[in-house]
Amino acid sequence: TNIAGHAANNCFGVKGMCVRSMTDGLMHLLRPESMSKGVKVVFCEDGSIVIDLHIMVDREINIAAIGESIIHRVQHDVEKSTGTTVKGVNIYVDSISED
């Protein structure tokens, strides 16, 4: 989760990882040391993984382009660092930053 969160967070246009608050139901930007909370890793039977990322993006950014960039970077960084095959990366744009 840390490798995937760090890779996504360093892509152009990503404001950060976010998570839904249980108390107020709103999306909150995570501090860099907590970014893995916006990442979910699911292990498949074949030994590969699927990664879900919950992100906040900057306003006026091409979401399709940033999504493709994040997918490639996360897949590359995780596979290079762990040797585990990444079967898929799902990106959820939960919020758009206004500043």
Side-chain angles (χ1 to χ4, degrees):
T1 59
N2 288 330
I3 296 167
H6 183 71
N9 205 40
N10 286 322
C11 288
F12 176 79
V14 175
K15 188 77 171 175
M17 307 305 292
C18 58
V19 66
R20 183 175 304 280
S21 169
M22 293 300 212
T23 56
D24 58 16
L26 299 174
M27 298 307 296
H28 295 280
L29 187 64
L30 294 167
R31 292 188 298 268
E33 62 271 11
S34 302
M35 75 176 85
S36 65
K37 290 181 182 175
V39 180
K40 179 182 176 188
V41 177
V42 177
F43 293 89
C44 303
E45 290 180 10
D46 62 1
S48 63
I49 59 173
V50 175
I51 301 169
D52 293 341
L53 302 168
H54 292 268
I55 62 170
M56 179 183 289
V57 297
D58 289 327
R59 198 173 128 206
E60 299 179 7
I61 200 81
N62 183 326
I63 293 176
I66 194 173
E68 187 175 324
S69 174
I70 293 167
I71 289 168
H72 291 299
R73 178 145 186 196
V74 168
Q75 185 173 12
H76 174 266
D77 288 4
V78 170
E79 287 180 350
K80 184 178 177 186
S81 297
T82 66
T84 303
T85 301
V86 177
K87 188 182 239 179
V89 178
N90 301 311
I91 300 171
Y92 301 92
V93 178
D94 290 329
S95 184
I96 298 174
S97 175
E98 293 296 323
D99 52 4

